[in-house]
């Protein structure tokens, strides 16, 4: 729902990344329908992509561009009457992530964590109503990870919907209003963390216990 952070959880190979790529319009679903802000993906794929910010777990960046050039390029793909103010927002996020002094350096000189922060900056500055993110904290230092968590919370409070896939149960429990647990391509549980705990067979005390119960990782 609008303004909600959804945690999309599941073991390796369950179908998380495939689902995310379908939502982002990169894969065609074999069945089912996708609607984003009232627009059907099958009929209005371009409009759905315009409304969606996608942060992959392994972002591809053009290494011969500088950070500033990359943000300008991404902004040009989503033209609005006020593109300049969007780039001002980009500079704000670069400063927040301690990347502003690197904005004129080639991306090929960036570390993995810096690249992750640059791709997040490019999505946050677009201010789209849906953000789809796959393992957002990979490569981030503790300070940057905390900043990202607070930005997700702030975005959700302002009405942005965040579809978050992660293997970190702590992150999901801290951030998510609702979680979906997927196994073998099927959602096996959905609801708030508290409601799912109440339904657990052996009274799970945290999301990790609940996840291991439901996915059969090992018997508790």
């Amino acid at each position: 729902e609008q303004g909600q952070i959804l945690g999309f959880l599941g073991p390796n190979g369950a179908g998380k990344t495939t689902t995310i790529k379908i939502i982002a319009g990169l894969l065609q679903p074999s069945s089912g329908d996708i609607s984003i802000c009232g627009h059907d993906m099958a009929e209005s794929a371009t409009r759905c992509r315009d409304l969606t910010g996608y942060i992959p777990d392994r972002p591809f960046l053009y290494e011969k561009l500088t950070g500033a050039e990359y943000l300008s390029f991404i902004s040009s793909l989503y033209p609005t009457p006020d593109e300049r103010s969007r780039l001002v927002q980009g500079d704000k996020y670069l400063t927040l992530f301690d990347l502003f002094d690197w904005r004129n350096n080639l991306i090929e000189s960036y570390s993995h964590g810096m690249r992750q922060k640059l791709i997040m900056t490019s999505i946050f500055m677009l201010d789209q109503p849906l953000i789809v993110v796959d393992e957002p904290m990979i490569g981030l230092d503790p300070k940057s990870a905390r900043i990202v968590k607070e930005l997700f919370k702030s975005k959700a409070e302002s009405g942005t919907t965040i579809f978050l896939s992660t293997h970190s149960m702590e992150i999901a429990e801290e951030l998510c209003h609702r979680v979906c647990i997927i196994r073998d391509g099927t959602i096996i549980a959905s609801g708030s963390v508290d409601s799912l705990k109440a339904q657990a067979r052996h009274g799970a005390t945290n999301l990790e216990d609940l996840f291991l119960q439901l996915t059969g990782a090992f018997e508790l």
Side-chain angles (χ1 to χ4, degrees), residues 103-114:
R103 68 192 184 283
N104 294 319
N105 292 50
L106 293 178
I107 293 172
E108 65 182 5
S109 68
Y110 285 23
S111 68
H112 176 78
M114 293 167 69

Side-chain angles (χ1 to χ4, degrees), residues 21-127:
K21 287 183 176 179
I22 291 171
I23 294 171
L26 300 176
L27 290 177
Q28 290 289 334
S30 54
S31 63
D33 302 300
I34 294 174
S35 176
I36 296 176
C37 298
H39 299 277
D40 186 87
M41 177 70 76
E43 298 177 358
S44 307
T46 299
R47 180 57 178 154
C48 287
R49 291 190 188 101
D50 287 344
L51 296 168
T52 304
Y54 175 42
I55 304 174
D57 58 342
R58 295 181 181 86
F60 175 83
L61 299 169
Y62 298 99
E63 295 195 338
K64 294 303 181 182
L65 295 179
T66 66
E69 288 171 340
Y70 177 77
L71 294 183
S72 180
F73 167 65
I74 294 299
S75 182
S76 72
L77 299 177
Y78 300 87
T80 67
D82 198 12
E83 193 171 341
R84 182 178 295 275
S85 67
R86 178 189 289 159
L87 293 176
V88 170
Q89 286 296 305
D91 285 345
K92 182 189 80 171
Y93 290 117
L94 288 178
T95 301
L96 194 62
F97 284 127
D98 296 325
L99 275 182
F100 188 77
D101 291 341
W102 288 77
R103 68 192 184 283
N104 294 319
N105 292 50
L106 293 178
I107 293 172
E108 65 182 5
S109 68
Y110 285 23
S111 68
H112 176 78
M114 293 167 69
R115 294 175 186 221
Q116 190 76 355
K117 289 187 282 188
L118 181 63
I119 193 79
M120 287 190 177
T121 293
S122 72
I123 297 304
F124 287 142
M125 76 174 186
L126 293 174
D127 200 27

Side-chain angles (χ1 to χ4, degrees), residues 143-162:
K143 176 186 175 182
S144 298
R146 171 53 62 184
I147 290 171
V148 168
K149 290 178 187 177
E150 295 305 318
L151 285 174
F152 283 160
K153 292 177 184 177
S154 175
K155 287 285 187 181
E157 288 172 0
S158 66
T160 301
T161 300
I162 299 173

